[in-house]
Structures are given as C-alpha cells and as structure tokens.
Amino acid sequence: MIPCYNHGQHIGSVIESIPDFIDHIVVVDDSSTQPLPDFESERIEVIRTPKNLGVGGATVTGFRKLLEIDPFIIVKMDADGQMDPRYIPDLLDPLINGRAEYAKGNRFQDFESIRRIPFLRRIGNLALSFMTKIATGYWNNFDPNNGFFAIRTDLLRRVKIDRLHRRYFFETSLIAQLFFHRARIRDVAMPAIYLGEPSGLKVWKELFCFPPRLLKIFIRRLVLAYFIFDFNMASLYMLFGIPLFLFGTIYGLIVWITNAFRGVLTSTGTVMLIALTIILGFQLILQAIQIDMEKSPRCEENPF
C-alpha cells in the first residue's frame, strides 16, 4: 500500500522495484496536483481521495481497501523513493515465522545510515523516538516514525483505524494502539535514502506538536494499563511515588523562593523533609519505570 502525494516522478520506479511475489499493490493518490503515470500491470490499483487527507488519512484509506481483499500481510511504504523495496522480505520474515505481528524499518541500527541523515533531522528524530518510547511503552524499539512497515491483517482488524492520526503522527498513534493488543514489534535495520528533496515533515516544528499528543497517549496508557486493566506493584509505586515527588519539588520551590525573598535560611528539618520526599518519590518512580520496561512486548530474537 503506497500513499502518494505529488510524487509522480518517483512512484513509477518505486513500483517497478517492488518484488514480483507481492500480489496486489494499492496506490492511494491523495488528491495530488501532479498526474500519476499510467500503470499497465493488473496487480496495481489506484484510488484517488476526494480531498487531501494527509499521509495518515491516505494510509487509512488504503487499509480499508486492502482489508476488503484480506491479504495475510500488508506492507506500507511511501512513494518518494526513500524506501528500498529490497527490504520487504526482511519485514515479512518475522511476521511469516510468527516472531512478530508488526515489523518496521529502523534507520538508527546502521552507523553509515545514521551519518547520511541530516544532522538536525537526526537529533530531532532521536528526541522524538525517545519520547515515543516512554509514551507508547515499546521501550525496545526505535525510530517509531519510520513509515516503512508490515503488519499482519488479523492484527490490523483489531486496531481502531478510525482513531489513527491523519497526519505525520500516524505511525505513533498506530504503535500506541498496538501496545494494548500486546503486539510484538520487530525493528529491521535499513538505510536512510535521501534524494535531495525537502521533507514534508518539519522535525523541529513537530518537536513542539508531538509532546502534547505523546503526553495524552502516555497518561491514557498508564491509566488503562495500571489502574483499569490491571493493578500491580507498578501501580502502587506510581500511586505513592508521583505525589511524593511532586510534593517535594513544588513545596521545595515555594520554600526556596519565599525564604530567598525574605532573606531567611531554611531550617534543617524543612530541607530534610523536602529532600526525603523528592528522593523517595523518585526512587518509587524509577521502580515503576523498571516494571513498565519489563512489561514491554518483546519480539523474539530482537537484538535490542
């Protein structure tokens, strides 16, 4: 499944390089202003959206069409020529062999590949990837915004695709849902390909847009995973650790600012109380994080 927006100059070569064992190719023309080439192959089907839906919206449109066809596995890649179809077998292998239900590219497992990523984009992607780890609970996976992935259809049917984000937050919103299905994700090392064109994704802009969405996902995951669907030691650690840490931090700031303006030294007892609540709360939070990392769905034979 290939969402396409104004990549008519690349999509022809992309489709030509797709392996012959792929049975059906759905191209979703997301109301491009550039015409697409004529495809003569019978395995290619083109769908045009009535208006521009964004990469997420176009992908959901393609998902709906492919769910009607009901393949065993759906592969999603972009039309800009920055994803090498030769890595499709590497994405399919763990799904076919039952080691995972979702496989995606990871550009950060190859040092040479990392060097080809523009520096600012590299730093932005690293920051976004780490925040996504915390929010989604997939501590063992990286490069979550990589749009080159394969997913088993039986898993996709359980996903509420209508709730997936319609723009560049699409992949993250999908992974966030996969956590509650305990889906195993396999990272597949593959190079980053840049053709000199500006990316539609402005990483530094998204660094300000993603955190509020990630925070919402994070809070929802904690509430559902540790206070609705289950209640365990991590729940207790958070129940006591977060209030203690917040109390110590906020109370400490209030005391410090107040005494600074008054020119008064803070008493030893007050300092001990603040330090104790901060340290104890932080230790409890660390224990909760450790349990959360251990509960992360793990793909068999995943080196990370």
Side-chain angles (χ1 to χ4, degrees), residues 97-153:
N97 294 324
R99 299 195 301 271
E101 292 77 38
Y102 183 93
K104 64 174 187 62
N106 186 342
R107 296 161 292 180
F108 293 90
Q109 288 186 3
D110 185 337
F111 181 72
E112 291 301 323
S113 176
I114 294 175
R115 292 180 61 183
R116 286 194 292 269
I117 301 176
F119 178 76
L120 293 179
R121 187 177 178 86
R122 187 190 319 165
I123 299 301
N125 272 313
L126 287 171
L128 288 175
S129 294
F130 182 72
M131 288 188 287
T132 303
K133 277 175 175 273
I134 299 172
T136 62
Y138 279 99
W139 293 91
N140 304 302
N141 300 101
F142 208 61
D143 198 14
N145 298 312
N146 195 308
F148 194 9
F149 64 80
I151 183 170
R152 286 180 48 152
T153 304

Side-chain angles (χ1 to χ4, degrees), residues 44-227:
I44 301 173
E45 181 176 1
V46 179
I47 301 173
R48 181 174 176 84
T49 60
K51 62 178 182 179
N52 183 263
L53 301 176
V55 62
T59 302
V60 169
T61 300
F63 279 166
R64 290 197 180 101
K65 180 61 181 179
L66 284 167
L67 287 174
E68 296 175 2
I69 301 172
D70 196 27
F72 178 54
I73 295 172
I74 296 174
V75 177
K76 183 263 177 185
M77 61 184 300
D78 292 339
D80 55 8
Q82 297 185 10
M83 298 174 181
D84 192 341
R86 291 180 298 176
Y87 286 88
I88 289 178
D90 295 331
L91 293 173
L92 297 179
D93 180 67
L95 277 61
I96 293 173
N97 294 324
R99 299 195 301 271
E101 292 77 38
Y102 183 93
K104 64 174 187 62
N106 186 342
R107 296 161 292 180
F108 293 90
Q109 288 186 3
D110 185 337
F111 181 72
E112 291 301 323
S113 176
I114 294 175
R115 292 180 61 183
R116 286 194 292 269
I117 301 176
F119 178 76
L120 293 179
R121 187 177 178 86
R122 187 190 319 165
I123 299 301
N125 272 313
L126 287 171
L128 288 175
S129 294
F130 182 72
M131 288 188 287
T132 303
K133 277 175 175 273
I134 299 172
T136 62
Y138 279 99
W139 293 91
N140 304 302
N141 300 101
F142 208 61
D143 198 14
N145 298 312
N146 195 308
F148 194 9
F149 64 80
I151 183 170
R152 286 180 48 152
T153 304
D154 56 353
L155 172 62
L156 184 61
R157 289 191 182 279
R158 302 199 301 271
V159 172
K160 298 177 180 178
I161 61 175
D162 290 334
R163 295 186 180 181
L164 297 176
H165 198 268
R166 294 303 190 256
R167 297 290 172 178
Y168 290 112
F169 199 66
F170 164 78
E171 289 87 3
T172 303
S173 64
L174 174 59
I175 291 175
Q177 284 203 42
L178 297 184
F179 177 85
F180 293 101
H181 298 289
R182 307 304 298 169
R184 296 166 298 171
I185 298 179
R186 178 64 180 266
D187 280 356
V188 175
M190 57 181 59
I193 303 174
Y194 290 97
L195 304 178
E197 295 184 354
S199 172
L201 174 60
K202 306 301 181 183
V203 175
W204 293 104
K205 177 182 178 181
E206 297 303 330
L207 274 175
F208 294 97
C209 297
F210 272 41
R213 300 168 187 160
L214 290 172
L215 179 62
K216 181 179 178 180
I217 287 175
F218 176 65
I219 294 174
R220 179 176 181 271
R221 181 175 72 83
L222 291 188
V223 171
L224 291 177
Y226 293 102
F227 296 98

